[in-house]
Amino acid sequence: MLPLVVKRIESQSAGILSIELGDPDGVPLPPWEAGAHIDVQLVTRQQRQYSLCGDPADRGTYRIAVLREEYSRGASMYIHEYLREGRTVHASAPRNLFPIAPADEYLLLAAGIGITPILAMANELERRGATWSMNYAIRDGADLPFRADLDALGQKVTINSPDRAGRLDLESYLAEPRPGVAVYTCGPARFTDAVLEAMREWPRGSLHLERFEPKPAVVRANEPFTVRVEGTDVAVEVPADRSMLAALNSARVPVAGSCLRGICGSCAVRVVDGKAEHRDSLTSDEDSTTMYPCVSRALTPELVIAAPE
Ligand code: FES
C-alpha cells in the first residue's frame, strides 16, 4: 500500500466527489492505463476499489470519484463527510482488469458513477486516433459530473438524460451485432445487465463490462473440495462452509483478498488442474483458468493451483 496525500477534492455533481491523490514527497506514482483501478484503504480500515479517471500521462496524480451511496457500507459516507485535503490514505498500485483490447471501433456505454473508467478510456482512444463514441446515461443533464472533461471530448459524447439527448434505447441501439466492434460498459447493475441482454446475439468477446456489485448468480450448494499448490506438498481442505480464499490463507498460502465479493480481482489464482466453478463477476468464459477464490469453488473434487507469486 502506498501512502498518498489528498491533494484536491472537488464536487462533480450533487452526489459525486472527485479526489486527487499524490505522493506526499512528489515522487512519481506507479504508471497506469485506462480501465485501471486502485484499492483505497481508509482510516476506518475499509478497503474499496475505485477506477482511475484522470490522465495516465500525469504521473503526479491519481484521480478517483466517489458516489455518495444511499445505503453506504461506510466508505462512501466517510469520504463524503470526513475526508479532507491534506489527509493521508493508503492505496494499492493500479491494477487493470478492464483493459482496452484491439478492435476496429469502440462503443463506450456508461451510466452514473460508471463514467469513471469510461472517461479514461475515451481520452485514451481519442489520443490513439481510434474510432469511438460514448453514450452516458445520467438522470439530470444539468448536474453532469466531469462536464469539462466530457465537453472537451466533443461530438463523440452523447449525454442520455431527459433534458439532453433523451433515454438511450439499448435494445435497438445494440440490436444489430457488429463484428469488430468492442463495447465497453460500466454502471449500475440494471444498466450493465440491460447491455448484456441487448447484446445476446453479438460475437463472443464483443462485450467488456465492469461491475460495482456482484452479478446475480444461481449457485449450486457448496461441496467440500481439496486445493493443492503446484510444486509443493501443500494440500488444503476447503469445507462447505468456508471460502477457498479463507482456507488458503489459514494454511498460510499467501493469496491477497480485498472485496471478498468476486468483483475486484485481487485474489486471482491460476488453476493448472481440475475445474473451477466460477461464481465471480469478472469471468465471462466458464473455461477460464483464472479463478477468484473469495467466492469461486471447484467443480472437481480437487483443484491444483499455481503457487502464488
Ligand atoms: S477479493 Fe475481490 S475478487 Fe476476490
Side-chain angles (χ1 to χ4, degrees):
M1 285 282 181
L2 311 162
L4 299 178
V5 67
V6 178
K7 291 165 55 174
R8 186 163 184 224
I9 299 180
E10 190 179 354
S11 173
Q12 290 287 344
S13 71
I16 296 177
L17 292 177
S18 65
I19 297 160
E20 293 181 8
L21 305 168
D23 183 272
D25 302 316
V27 174
L29 298 170
W32 61 281
E33 292 176 352
H37 71 266
I38 54 173
D39 294 346
V40 176
Q41 190 170 63
L42 303 163
V43 290
T44 56
R45 310 296 299 167
Q46 290 168 305
Q47 198 164 300
R48 293 285 181 275
Q49 294 75 46
Y50 297 104
S51 295
L52 293 173
C53 58
D55 178 1
D58 175 4
R59 295 287 305 277
T61 309
Y62 290 154
R63 183 173 68 163
I64 59 172
V66 181
L67 172 71
R68 180 191 285 276
E69 290 170 31
E70 205 174 330
Y71 302 105
S72 171
R73 287 184 295 142
S76 143
M77 192 272 285
Y78 170 81
I79 288 172
H80 275 259
E81 296 294 331
Y82 301 111
L83 193 65
R84 296 289 177 264
E85 291 174 4
R87 296 253 173 95
T88 299
V89 298
H90 288 79
S92 67
R95 183 172 47 229
N96 199 352
L97 298 169
F98 196 38
I100 300 175
D104 300 337
E105 184 182 340
Y106 298 86
L107 304 182
L108 308 179
L109 303 174
I113 190 67
I115 187 62
T116 49
I118 298 295
L119 182 58
M121 285 180 180
N123 280 314
E124 174 60 24
L125 292 170
E126 185 66 6
R127 239 189 317 266
R128 290 184 193 176
T131 304
W132 68 274
S133 62
M134 181 205 294
N135 281 81
Y136 181 28
I138 186 100
R139 269 199 211 115
D140 181 2
D143 190 30
L144 183 69
F146 301 107
R147 180 184 300 273
D149 302 67
L150 293 166
D151 285 349
L153 289 164
Q155 302 294 318
K156 292 177 187 167
V157 176
T158 303
I159 306 299
N160 293 108
S161 62
D163 55 332
R164 304 275 283 255
R167 184 178 161 273
L168 176 65
D169 181 347
L170 289 168
E171 275 292 337
S172 49
Y173 183 65
L174 298 169
E176 210 49 58
R178 296 174 57 193
V181 175
V183 177
Y184 283 79
T185 187
C186 186
R190 67 180 180 284
F191 182 80
T192 52
D193 287 346
V195 174
L196 189 62
E197 176 60 21
M199 290 184 66
R200 57 196 174 274
E201 305 295 339
W202 282 57
R204 200 171 172 187
S206 303
L207 175 62
H208 308 258
L209 68 84
E210 185 163 78
R211 294 177 184 271
F212 301 134
E213 292 297 324
K215 66 181 177 193
V218 180
V219 291
R220 58 190 200 120
N222 287 357
E223 298 284 349
F225 60 99
T226 306
V227 188
R228 296 185 186 279
V229 180
E230 187 184 39
T232 74
D233 55 6
V234 173
V236 180
E237 300 304 325
V238 183
D241 61 353
R242 228 166 163 217
S243 73
M244 177 174 151
L245 179 64
L248 286 169
N249 286 166
S250 293
R252 300 188 185 279
V253 179
V255 180
S258 177
C259 72
L260 306 184
R261 300 191 301 159
I263 56 174
C264 77
S266 60
C267 64
V269 295
R270 189 165 59 83
V271 178
V272 293
D273 197 22
K275 185 148 175 53
E277 182 194 10
H278 299 289
R279 296 182 177 186
D280 62 90
S281 301
L282 299 157
T283 308
S284 52
D285 177 2
E286 287 309 309
D287 294 328
S288 172
T289 55
T290 299
M291 77 175 287
Y292 302 94
C294 61
V295 291
S296 295
R297 302 184 66 86
L299 286 172
T300 45
E302 191 170 294
L303 286 181
V304 182
I305 61 168
E309 289 163 8

